Amino acid sequence: MRLTPLISATLAIAVASPLFAQEWIEFASREDRFTCNFPTQPKVTETTYRSQHEADLPARIYSASQGQSRYLVTVIDYTQAQRILTEKAKSCPAGAEPCLGGPGDEGHWKADIRGAIDYASWQLMQRDAKLTLFVWGVVDMVEGRQIQLTNNNEDTFMDIEGVVKEVHLVVPHSWIYMEVKDAKGETQMWALEATGRLGLQRIGVTADYVKPGDSVKARCHHLRDGSNGCLLGFLKAKDGTVKDWDGNNAPAPADF
């Protein structure tokens, strides 16, 4: 994903589910000056975004779907924050500092811009999901927050075994593609998503730890849309060792 801001105060947030990268297209937005991979040509929706200090800012949502998976990029124009919040401060009650702000920061427009990433991150973390990763990250020279949420759906927890075809220890998320036999004995390709390369290195996962051709076992949460993919928890390597690929370094379960 490559994001080149049109303006310094543009915030971009992406939410996606894993699919094979070769199925995606590279989309380029001339209006907001970024490129991003989508499974199909995205729909563009004009909307507004309410900031932390309640400025209604112009925004665009780029969205695409494939099956039950949704892919979203939201771009928010924070260059309007100073004008909107300064004007709003004029109607604040006397002494209402949270509304008034201060000289040169009327309506707290500076705090609104500086805290934009943190506020957007907080909004994501309010979802009904378990927060499994929250770190600073950089992708294609664009810095921001890397957030990983796991849906609270224990019914999708499963064990699978198969043969590794590809291993990609990358940032922000690592991937293992493996061949798994279904109930009929037919081979299917599965995509397993793990935490980023740096998190895996901290628990001893090196480039040689899991390689194409290895037979492995995984315990993971199946995707809600039922497609051949899951969010990795534990993985048992060819040498029999078990590591937590979610990045939490949790002890291996006794029944795995």
Side-chain angles (χ1 to χ4, degrees):
M1 177 177 176
R2 185 181 303 277
L3 297 175
T4 305
L6 172 64
I7 47 177
S8 60
T10 296
L11 169 65
I13 306 168
V15 179
S17 298
L19 280 178
F20 294 108
Q22 58 266 32
E23 297 179 358
W24 297 2
I25 63 170
E26 185 174 34
F27 169 78
S29 169
R30 293 183 177 274
E31 292 83 2
D32 294 314
R33 297 186 183 178
F34 73 90
T35 62
C36 183
N37 290 332
F38 279 102
T40 60
Q41 187 75 9
K43 175 184 176 183
V44 183
T45 304
E46 301 281 346
T47 186
T48 58
Y49 173 85
R50 176 155 291 188
S51 68
Q52 179 180 356
H53 292 278
E54 299 185 348
D56 290 327
L57 303 172
R60 291 188 184 92
I61 298 176
Y62 298 80
S63 61
S65 299
Q66 189 171 79
Q68 296 184 41
S69 298
R70 295 187 306 131
Y71 303 80
L72 303 175
V73 173
T74 300
V75 182
I76 303 155
D77 184 359
Y78 266 81
T79 59
Q80 304 295 317
Q82 180 179 2
R83 176 185 61 79
I84 293 172
L85 291 175
T86 298
E87 186 64 28
K88 181 181 177 182
K90 295 177 181 179
S91 60
C92 292
E97 191 279 333
C99 175
L100 287 167
D105 187 25
E106 293 77 7
H108 294 288
W109 67 267
K110 289 183 179 179
D112 213 42
I113 294 173
R114 291 170 179 167
I117 296 293
D118 290 331
Y119 180 68
S121 300
W122 173 246
Q123 297 303 305
L124 288 174
M125 289 188 284
Q126 301 313 297
R127 297 184 176 188
D128 181 22
K130 177 185 177 183
L131 178 66
T132 53
L133 184 67
F134 178 45
V135 296
W136 177 89
V138 59
V139 177
D140 286 344
M141 300 180 67
V142 178
E143 65 179 86
R145 307 291 184 269
Q146 180 184 342
I147 301 173
Q148 180 175 302
L149 300 171
T150 301
N151 290 325
N152 291 319
N153 190 344
E154 294 300 321
D155 292 337
T156 61
F157 191 76
M158 64 186 302
D159 290 353
I160 59 173
E161 298 183 57
V163 178
V164 175
K165 300 300 291 183
E166 297 181 27
V167 181
H168 302 281
L169 303 181
V170 294
V171 174
H173 302 288
S174 298
W175 296 89
I176 292 180
Y177 295 100
M178 59 186 289
E179 290 183 340
V180 179
K181 289 187 177 181
D182 62 16
K184 298 179 180 179
E186 297 178 355
T187 300
Q188 298 179 332
M189 185 69 74
W190 278 65
L192 281 57
E193 181 183 5
T195 192
R197 181 185 68 249
L198 298 180
L200 292 175
Q201 287 177 347
R202 286 194 288 268
I203 63 172
V205 175
T206 65
D208 295 328
Y209 180 66
V210 174
K211 297 175 293 189
D214 288 356
S215 294
V216 300
K217 179 180 179 181
R219 174 163 290 184
C220 56
H221 287 277
H222 197 190
L223 297 183
R224 285 186 172 182
D225 64 4
S227 59
N228 293 341
C230 63
L231 302 176
L232 260 177
F234 296 96
L235 187 135
K236 180 179 290 186
K238 182 180 179 180
D239 64 5
T241 58
V242 178
K243 295 185 182 295
D244 177 14
W245 284 58
D246 195 32
N248 296 318
N249 203 19
D255 62 342
F256 184 63

